[in-house]
Amino acid sequence: MDNSEEFTTASERAYRIIREKILSGELEAGARLSQRKMAALSGVSIIPVIEALLRLEHDGLIEQRPQWGARVTVLSDERIRDLCLFREAIECQVARTLTETLDDAMMDVLKDMAVELDEVAQAEGVGSHYWLLDCAFHAKMAELTGSRMFVDAMRRINLFGILKQVAAASPGVPGILPKDWHMRIIRGLRTREADKAEAAIRYHVQNAFARDMAHT
Amino acid sequence: MDNSEEFTTASERAYRIIREKILSGELEAGARLSQRKMAALSGVSIIPVIEALLRLEHDGLIEQRPQWGARVTVLSDERIRDLCLFREAIECQVARTLTETLDDAMMDVLKDMAVELDEVAQAEGVGSHYWLLDCAFHAKMAELTGSRMFVDAMRRINLFGILKQVAAASPGVPGILPKDWHMRIIRGLRTREADKAEAAIRYHVQNAFARDMAHT
DNA sequence: CTTGACTAGCTGCTATAGCAGCTCTATCAT
DNA sequence: ATGATAGAGCTGCTATAGCAGCTAGTCAAG
């Protein structure tokens, strides 16, 4: 495996490399990130690292204080609550918006993704394969609203979710989720009523929250 | 007026100076921001400017493309719709959360702010004084949830709102708003029922949206 | 007059070097 | 033995300099 693929810019390379090391757990929660060490790590100079660290801070993966430095975000209960509330806010509004703007073809795209997701959950359980599909599904919903802010917000939510999953490292157990865990969302959207779609996705998000907290 | 006050860091100084020039309209929508010119403008070197531009991009005030540069965000109808949907998402969830966590003392703090806001709207109309208080009110709501992500999201929403207001530059007309325009939100929160509080704030946000679009 | 190439000046981007502050250790004096 | 102090090594931060690419403007050839 060669990590030094050619990216568009050195900042991008530093960002990707450092992010990967955080998401994989190689850089543990609370670990301090020295600019010089990150520069050596990613094979670039300090300036691109500064930019990369800012982007990581925007993503919520690290925290910076002026004149002090950066460290990997510690996933306290408070931060997890934060994330879940934020996710609930975004996803509910996404669902409401989709009831008004989504055409039938796009609805079918979402439905197919939901079906596959539920099948994987039943067959393999909540493992890395499931997480990948889940992220893609929710990202697709955000994308279909046509709103950049929702897409960006969902990207951050998913990144944080991966970090949380790495910290928990729970094994995949098949059949834990209801068989129509994601199809319920589709049915909510198909009513074309904002309140019903919102209720469906809120149920989905809040239960995911409860399950995550139980794992810790 | 001396803009070269001592900030904690050169990046901070550059960020504040450039942001002010954008919010005041001195740097017009669509104007290209050269790193060197911004450096000369704010009296610092290029590196702090790079950092400042990234923060401004995070705020949504500018847009950057790799190997191309930065320009002040153009407030297209699409972007405004984006912002309003995002604001609706955040504020509704903030209201829901507050019905569960807010104690009576904090509720009274919000009420006092709402009362002052409604009085100003009746007396002076929707001018710069009103906007300042309005930003403070909504920021306070976000702050009282105890969620950093909501606070940051609301900060971005308010910044964007200022930019929008500058672009419109509508004169202040007293009495345009209902007399209890913000007190309705407080009444919603006081029911201690998430759905009712959400409905109250959604009505508030959506109507503000409709009014803003009418101005353009 | 048109068209092509070349130059000068802009742009974003990044490597190097060096400043100021902090922390921790090792040495020295009491 | 204990305390203080000097120094070495780290840290974040930023100014300078220089590379590569794009753009426009000019000058010369057809």
Side-chain angles (χ1 to χ4, degrees):
Chain A
M1 183 89 85
D2 184 14
N3 247 341
S4 64
E5 309 163 27
E6 282 219 357
F7 298 116
T8 57
T9 158
S11 302
E12 179 71 15
R13 178 160 65 239
Y15 170 74
R16 296 278 282 272
I17 291 179
I18 300 174
R19 192 183 70 178
E20 222 46 45
K21 290 199 185 298
I22 293 175
L23 292 181
S24 70
E26 188 170 339
L27 290 171
E28 295 176 3
R32 188 158 176 190
L33 304 179
S34 151
Q35 293 178 343
R36 282 177 174 81
K37 284 181 182 169
M38 292 305 105
L41 194 71
S42 46
V44 300
S45 172
I46 287 188
I47 284 100
V49 167
I50 292 177
E51 197 174 324
L53 291 181
L54 261 170
R55 291 179 57 187
L56 289 169
E57 184 184 21
H58 173 209
D59 291 342
L61 295 181
I62 70 173
E63 290 174 341
Q64 281 185 295
R65 286 213 315 264
Q67 306 286 357
W68 189 90
R71 59 177 38 191
V72 180
T73 296
V74 177
L75 283 173
S76 61
D77 285 356
E78 182 199 353
R79 294 305 298 268
I80 294 181
R81 167 183 168 272
D82 256 36
L83 175 70
C84 291
L85 284 179
F86 186 73
R87 185 182 168 192
E88 194 176 321
I90 299 300
E91 301 240 34
C92 287
Q93 189 66 28
V94 164
R96 293 185 74 93
T97 307
L98 288 181
T99 58
E100 295 177 4
T101 63
L102 206 59
D103 61 37
D104 291 341
M106 289 298 104
M107 184 74 86
D108 283 342
V109 171
L110 271 188
K111 187 210 66 179
D112 292 342
M113 296 180 77
V115 167
E116 186 184 1
L117 202 37
D118 287 341
E119 287 173 355
V120 168
Q122 292 303 312
E124 309 173 16
V126 179
S128 61
H129 185 196
Y130 171 83
W131 280 111
L132 216 65
L133 290 176
D134 188 65
C135 284
F137 175 75
H138 290 279
K140 190 70 182 179
M141 283 182 58
E143 181 194 329
L144 288 175
T145 63
S147 160
R148 297 191 209 180
M149 300 188 82
F150 284 155
V151 170
D152 184 59
M154 193 65 74
R155 194 182 59 83
R156 293 165 59 190
I157 290 167
N158 280 338
L159 276 180
F160 230 87
I162 294 173
L163 192 63
K164 185 152 55 72
Q165 172 215 353
V166 167
S170 52
V173 179
I176 266 190
L177 296 175
K179 286 182 184 175
D180 59 349
W181 186 230
H182 283 85
M183 267 308 292
R184 288 186 193 176
I185 301 173
I186 303 296
R187 284 201 298 273
L189 291 176
R190 278 187 169 149
T191 64
R192 298 287 179 190
E193 294 178 36
D195 288 338
K196 289 187 179 172
E198 178 182 344
I201 193 96
R202 193 182 300 280
Y203 178 79
H204 181 92
V205 172
Q206 286 184 339
N207 274 54
F209 172 51
R211 184 170 302 108
D212 288 340
M213 290 303 283
H215 275 189
T216 53
Chain B
M1 185 89 86
D2 183 14
N3 248 339
S4 63
E5 309 163 28
E6 280 219 358
F7 298 115
T8 58
T9 158
S11 301
E12 180 73 15
R13 178 161 65 240
Y15 169 74
R16 297 277 283 272
I17 291 179
I18 300 174
R19 193 184 69 178
E20 222 48 46
K21 289 199 184 298
I22 293 175
L23 291 182
S24 71
E26 188 171 338
L27 290 170
E28 294 176 4
R32 188 159 177 189
L33 305 179
S34 151
Q35 295 178 341
R36 283 176 173 81
K37 284 180 182 168
M38 293 303 106
L41 194 70
S42 46
V44 300
S45 173
I46 287 189
I47 284 100
V49 166
I50 293 178
E51 197 175 324
L53 291 181
L54 262 170
R55 290 179 58 188
L56 289 168
E57 184 184 20
H58 172 210
D59 290 343
L61 295 180
I62 70 173
E63 291 174 340
Q64 280 185 296
R65 286 213 315 265
Q67 308 287 357
W68 189 90
R71 59 177 39 190
V72 180
T73 297
V74 177
L75 284 172
S76 61
D77 285 356
E78 183 199 352
R79 294 306 297 268
I80 294 181
R81 168 184 168 271
D82 256 37
L83 175 69
C84 292
L85 285 180
F86 186 72
R87 184 181 169 192
E88 195 175 323
I90 299 300
E91 301 239 36
C92 287
Q93 189 66 28
V94 164
R96 295 185 74 92
T97 306
L98 288 182
T99 59
E100 295 178 6
T101 63
L102 207 58
D103 61 35
D104 292 341
M106 289 298 103
M107 185 74 86
D108 282 343
V109 171
L110 270 187
K111 188 210 67 181
D112 292 342
M113 295 179 78
V115 167
E116 186 184 1
L117 203 37
D118 287 342
E119 287 174 355
V120 168
Q122 292 304 312
E124 310 174 15
V126 180
S128 60
H129 185 196
Y130 171 84
W131 280 111
L132 216 65
L133 291 176
D134 189 65
C135 284
F137 175 75
H138 290 279
K140 190 70 182 177
M141 283 184 57
E143 181 195 329
L144 288 175
T145 63
S147 160
R148 298 190 211 182
M149 300 188 80
F150 284 155
V151 170
D152 185 59
M154 193 64 74
R155 194 183 60 83
R156 292 166 59 190
I157 290 168
N158 279 339
L159 276 179
F160 231 87
I162 295 174
L163 192 63
K164 184 154 55 70
Q165 170 216 354
V166 168
S170 53
V173 179
I176 267 190
L177 297 175
K179 287 182 184 174
D180 59 349
W181 186 230
H182 283 85
M183 267 308 292
R184 288 187 193 176
I185 301 174
I186 303 296
R187 284 202 297 272
L189 292 176
R190 279 187 169 149
T191 64
R192 299 287 178 188
E193 294 178 38
D195 288 339
K196 290 187 179 173
E198 178 181 344
I201 192 95
R202 192 182 299 282
Y203 177 79
H204 181 92
V205 172
Q206 285 184 341
N207 274 55
F209 173 50
R211 185 169 301 109
D212 288 341
M213 289 303 282
H215 274 187
T216 53

